[in-house]
Amino acid sequence: ICERYVKSQQEAETAVSQIINACHEENSLLALDCEGVNLSAEGELTLLQVAFHSEGKVQCVIFDVKLICGEYDKQEKFEALRSLLESHVEKVIHDVHMDAAALKHQFNCQINNVIDTQLVLEYYTGKMLGSMGNFLEWCNVPPHPTKKEARSIFDKDPDVWGRRPLHPKLLVYAAYDVVCLFSANKFWRPKLQEETEGLISILQKASQERCKVLPTLARR
């Protein structure tokens, strides 16, 4: 299902511009997720994937942060992705705090205009710190189809997200993470819009606060 696998700065700059334009033109949300080696403030972020609506279908782009940024001048090379993450495009992510901590403390990048769907699940069900699987089930969205298979790969090798080339099954796993999350939008987003006018802004503010978690609290 991966429409595009981006591995260079130049490719990233082009893809980011196209994604931002598509989201504005179609008023699309952007589903976002990251992968890494023990992903946290200190655990290396190596992959960033997004899903959005364009040209009548859900599109997925995977940015290989490890290859794009290389070994040196990582923050400078990450500029190719910064405009997407800090843009006003509305983003959705499940359990944002580790991803946000990694982006902030490794690349000095702050995710802007985000809703954490873990907080949406908590608001409607009372379940705190619910998993992505819990959220998809609540939204009546089919579960991630390759999660068990991919888990068996990175359970055997915890550093697998840092190795290149990436196992093709891990690319499929990463793509489904955001495609499944994007597919859930049609269920929870209308529910929010039916509620009081300020609920979306309350959840956005709470989600943004999660993005500011201290690095000492964002370690596994």
Side-chain angles (χ1 to χ4, degrees):
I1 68 166
C2 178
E3 296 287 337
R4 193 168 180 184
Y5 178 36
V6 176
K7 298 180 282 187
S8 72
Q9 270 184 281
Q10 187 173 2
E11 271 187 290
E13 289 169 359
T14 301
V16 164
S17 177
Q18 291 170 343
I19 292 166
I20 291 174
N21 288 339
C23 288
H24 285 319
E25 288 172 6
E26 303 208 17
N27 195 28
S28 175
L29 299 174
L30 186 75
L32 171 71
D33 193 27
C34 300
E35 310 295 345
V37 181
N38 193 28
L39 184 63
S40 61
E42 297 174 349
E44 183 186 14
L45 187 155
T46 63
L47 211 68
L48 186 152
Q49 60 267 32
V50 297
F52 56 99
H53 194 269
S54 178
E55 299 178 352
K57 62 179 180 178
V58 179
Q59 308 267 6
C60 174
V61 178
I62 296 178
F63 295 95
D64 195 320
V65 177
K66 189 175 182 71
L67 294 181
I68 292 167
C69 294
E71 294 299 319
Y72 305 103
D73 302 319
K74 292 184 178 183
Q75 285 198 19
E76 182 179 329
K77 293 172 183 174
F78 191 80
E79 289 299 313
L81 298 173
R82 184 183 304 279
S83 59
L84 179 62
L85 295 166
E86 296 185 349
S87 71
H88 290 294
V89 171
E90 186 173 344
K91 303 160 196 76
V92 292
I93 189 167
H94 192 84
D95 189 8
V96 71
H97 67 290
M98 288 296 183
D99 298 40
L103 288 165
K104 176 65 177 175
H105 299 290
Q106 294 174 39
F107 301 105
N108 194 30
C109 179
Q110 181 82 41
I111 306 175
N112 185 44
N113 197 17
V114 62
I115 288 183
D116 188 337
T117 51
Q118 194 174 64
L119 295 179
V120 175
L121 182 67
E122 181 180 339
Y123 175 80
Y124 282 105
T125 69
K127 184 176 182 63
M128 297 181 67
L129 304 179
S131 69
M132 173 79 157
N134 297 146
F135 180 69
L136 294 178
E137 183 179 9
W138 175 68
C139 292
N140 296 314
V141 171
H144 190 303
T146 71
K147 186 173 284 288
K148 286 184 179 179
E149 187 177 19
R151 285 275 181 193
S152 68
I153 295 172
F154 48 79
D155 282 348
K156 292 174 184 174
D157 182 4
D159 296 333
V160 70
W161 288 111
R163 304 192 192 285
R164 294 297 179 274
L166 268 176
H167 195 298
K169 289 181 179 178
L170 293 183
L171 285 174
V172 174
Y173 168 89
Y176 269 118
D177 256 1
V178 286
V179 169
C180 289
L181 184 59
F182 185 87
S183 298
N185 290 337
K186 62 182 179 290
F187 176 81
W188 66 267
R189 186 69 185 183
K191 287 177 74 71
L192 284 190
Q193 291 170 336
E194 290 168 5
E195 296 272 357
T196 58
E197 192 172 318
L199 179 58
I200 290 176
S201 63
I202 290 170
L203 286 170
Q204 285 174 328
K205 184 176 180 180
S207 300
Q208 212 66 55
E209 286 301 312
R210 277 190 159 193
C211 293
K212 298 175 184 176
V213 64
L214 295 172
T216 51
L217 300 177
R219 295 190 181 101
R220 294 202 187 277

